[in-house]
């Protein structure tokens, strides 16, 4: 539809050019009936021109929205598939601000793709149609003793191609400057988001001066790059304006002698003028759109970089656990750092229904990394992992609470169900939140870390998983509360396999197995 409307637009421009010829010639010949007839024809063409423009606006926006919905959902699916949003951190290719690439760059890519492709089609068809028209209206021109046949066509092509070469030379630096503008602006925005996210920590440290200096540095980089764009655009736009204005009189200068010698009529001159402008406009498409191409290339670099990182994340190795039986088994399990230095080597163990394993060791020994490997998040792990059939729940030290109601946060990642949640909240000592279950808020800011950890433990009571992995999931609680919650977990989920990472010795009494990681691949298992 968009292509058809672009072709209709060129045809209407050609018809309007012929109508213009008719009433200019009628004016020269003082032929009033012919003048008004051509005005009537011109008016009919104008109605069609306006109707086409409105339909074209609707169809182009329909295509843009459909395309954007499809592409955004497609990239979001790839981004979330196989935990690529997390595993991309381990990709060799670095990537900044994936949120901007999904939210902003997709829109820029689609709108620019459409405008440039339709503009190119329009330019090619216009060039073909109006070159033929200009050819019929052109005559011979003597220049420096050399006669140039069909001079209007030849000069139009020479004029525009020369201008385009100069414009590309002037505008080439804009490609890199526009790419830097996107990157630096996104980095500045990301720093502002981080300040909002960690506002309390910054306030406790009194780090306002450091944050001010960091934000100022990033903002100054944005402004410096913008000034570079301004100075380069002054040269580029100034040249384009000069060339465009000169093109307004150039065809009149060429055709005026033929009018004075009565070789052609005024209508022919005006039609050749409009045809020249159409040919000049078509040939100038790349020159006039060079800044758009520069922006387009910057967006393409960012989106292809985004896809490259996703591809790299998907090709990273991962442990694929088997779900069978009611036991948790590890065989020859090895975990390393990205530099291949060992954290855990040849780890083998077996946990049956109701068993509990406590993983302890010094900081940096790989306790949390081992749990990441169980979840398939850590790519630098090998071995065989068998998990029990049924749900498996991982509770990190800092729980994730989605935007929405407290009830939705409580059931995450499942859909909220209409059940009585008061007993569950009482089990985790959050009964005072029961009246607020249907309130929408940013609960990660409303609740303390200790309350968030208790809410996460409540998820285990609702899910009733076959295995629960707790990565210091009670670290923000006092020992008395931690004792009560572990006691409650063992009572309410007696058949679940429990795997905990923690430093406190008070956790030992709730676990009948203990894995001590010593680092450098060394470990010991106590039953």
């Amino acid at each position: 539809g968009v292509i058809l409307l672009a072709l209709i637009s060129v045809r209407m421009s050609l018809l309007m050019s012929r109508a213009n010829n008719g009433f200019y010639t009628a004016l020269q010949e003082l032929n009033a009936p012919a003048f008004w007839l051509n005005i009537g024809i011109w008016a009919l063409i104008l109605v069609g021109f306006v109707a086409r423009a409105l339909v074209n606006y609707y169809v182009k926006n329909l295509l843009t929205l459909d395309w954007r919905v499809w592409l955004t959902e497609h990239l979001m699916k790839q981004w979330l598939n196989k935990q690529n949003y997390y595993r991309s951190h381990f990709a060799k290719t670095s990537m900044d601000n994936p949120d901007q690439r999904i939210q902003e760059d997709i829109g820029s890519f689609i709108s620019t793709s459409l405008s440039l492709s339709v503009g190119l089609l329009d330019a090619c068809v216009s060039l073909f149609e109006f070159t033929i028209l200009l050819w019929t209206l052109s005559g011979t021109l003597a220049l420096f003793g050399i006669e140039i046949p069909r001079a209007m066509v030849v000069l139009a092509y020479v004029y525009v191609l020369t201008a385009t070469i100069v414009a590309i030379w002037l505008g080439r630096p804009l490609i890199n400057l526009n790419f830097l503008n996107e990157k630096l602006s996104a980095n500045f925005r990301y720093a502002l988001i981080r300040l909002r996210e960690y506002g309390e920590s910054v306030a406790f440290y009194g780090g306002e001066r450091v944050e001010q200096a960091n934000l100022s540095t990033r903002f100054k980089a944005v402004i410096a790059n913008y000034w570079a764009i301004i100075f380069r655009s002054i040269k580029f736009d100034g040249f384009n304006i000069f060339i465009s204005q000169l093109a307004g009189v150039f065809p009149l200068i060429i055709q005026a002698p033929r009018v004075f010698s009565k070789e052609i009529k005024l209508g022919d001159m005006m039609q050749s003028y409009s045809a020249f402008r159409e040919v000049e406009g078509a040939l100038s498409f790349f020159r006039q759109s060079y800044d758009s191409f520069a922006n387009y290339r910057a967006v393409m670099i960012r989106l292809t970089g985004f896809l490259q990182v996703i591809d790299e994340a998907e090709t990273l190795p991962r442990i694929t656990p088997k779900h069978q039986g009611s036991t948790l088994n590890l065989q020859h399990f090895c975990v390393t750092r990205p530099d291949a230095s060992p954290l855990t080597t040849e780890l083998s163990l077996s946990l049956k229904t109701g068993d509990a394993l406590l993983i302890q060791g010094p900081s940096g020994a790989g306790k949390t990394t081992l749990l990441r490997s169980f979840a398939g998040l850590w790519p630098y792990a090998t071995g065989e992992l068998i998990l029990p059939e049924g749900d498996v729940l991982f509770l990190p030290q800092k729980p994730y609470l989605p935007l929405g109601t407290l009830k939705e946060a409580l059931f995450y990642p499942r859909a909220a169900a209409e059940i009585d949640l008061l007993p569950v909240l009482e089990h985790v000592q959050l009964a005072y939140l029961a009246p607020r279950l249907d309130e929408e808020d940013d609960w990660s800011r409303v609740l303390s870390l200790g309350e968030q950890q208790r809410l996460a433990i409540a998820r285990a009571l609702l899910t009733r998983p076959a295995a629960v992995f707790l990565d210091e999931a009670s670290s923000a609680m006092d020992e008395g509360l931690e004792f009560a919650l572990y006691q409650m977990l063992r009572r309410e989920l007696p058949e679940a396999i429990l795997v905990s990472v923690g430093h406190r010795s008070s956790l030992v009494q709730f676990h009948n197995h203990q894995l001590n990681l010593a680092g450098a691949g060394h470990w010991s298992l106590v039953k």
Side-chain angles (χ1 to χ4, degrees), residues 116-128:
L116 291 179
S117 58
V118 173
L120 180 62
L121 173 67
D122 183 84
C124 291
V125 177
S126 295
L127 185 62
F128 176 77

Side-chain angles (χ1 to χ4, degrees), residues 282-343:
L283 286 172
S284 298
F285 173 74
F286 285 102
R287 174 176 61 84
Q288 294 172 342
S289 302
Y290 192 79
D291 54 343
S292 296
F293 277 105
N295 282 318
Y296 189 56
R297 186 166 185 266
V299 169
M300 287 288 287
I301 289 171
R302 293 179 62 80
L303 285 177
T304 51
F306 179 79
L307 291 171
Q308 181 180 351
V309 169
I310 289 178
D311 289 340
E312 288 183 19
E314 288 191 345
T315 57
L316 288 170
R318 71 167 62 234
I319 293 290
T320 304
K322 299 177 183 177
H323 290 264
Q324 62 185 42
S326 58
T327 60
L328 186 156
N329 288 293
L330 291 180
Q331 296 295 327
H332 309 293
F333 208 77
C334 301
V335 182
T336 67
R337 292 189 175 92
D339 61 4
S341 59
L343 287 171

Side-chain angles (χ1 to χ4, degrees), residues 78-91:
Q78 285 190 273
W79 184 229
L80 293 170
N81 186 43
K82 298 180 181 178
Q83 299 157 332
N84 289 326
Y85 58 92
Y86 176 81
R87 289 165 61 85
S88 62
H89 297 302
F90 306 108

Side-chain angles (χ1 to χ4, degrees), residues 358 474 482 486 500-511:
L358 176 62
S474 57
E482 182 182 62
Y486 262 91
S500 302
V501 170
H503 291 281
R504 292 174 181 168
S505 58
S506 57
L507 292 174
V508 174
Q509 59 190 308
F510 298 105
H511 302 79

Side-chain angles (χ1 to χ4, degrees), residues 250-308:
F250 188 79
L252 299 179
I253 294 172
I254 300 300
Q255 289 287 63
R258 299 184 67 206
V259 174
F260 296 143
S261 63
K262 298 183 179 180
E263 290 183 40
I264 58 173
K265 296 180 180 179
L266 178 62
D268 295 326
M269 178 181 179
M270 298 309 297
Q271 189 176 19
S272 63
Y273 167 80
S274 65
F276 180 91
R277 292 308 301 265
E278 291 286 349
V279 171
E280 185 265 339
L283 286 172
S284 298
F285 173 74
F286 285 102
R287 174 176 61 84
Q288 294 172 342
S289 302
Y290 192 79
D291 54 343
S292 296
F293 277 105
N295 282 318
Y296 189 56
R297 186 166 185 266
V299 169
M300 287 288 287
I301 289 171
R302 293 179 62 80
L303 285 177
T304 51
F306 179 79
L307 291 171
Q308 181 180 351

Side-chain angles (χ1 to χ4, degrees), residues 59-71 110:
V59 173
K60 283 182 70 174
N61 278 282
L62 178 64
L63 174 57
T64 299
L65 291 175
D66 282 351
W67 192 355
R68 184 167 186 176
V69 168
W70 173 81
L71 186 56
I110 290 170

Side-chain angles (χ1 to χ4, degrees), residues 22-39:
F23 64 69
Y24 276 118
T25 299
L27 279 174
Q28 184 181 21
E29 295 175 348
L30 304 178
N31 187 341
F35 173 79
W36 291 113
L37 175 63
N38 281 283
I39 286 292

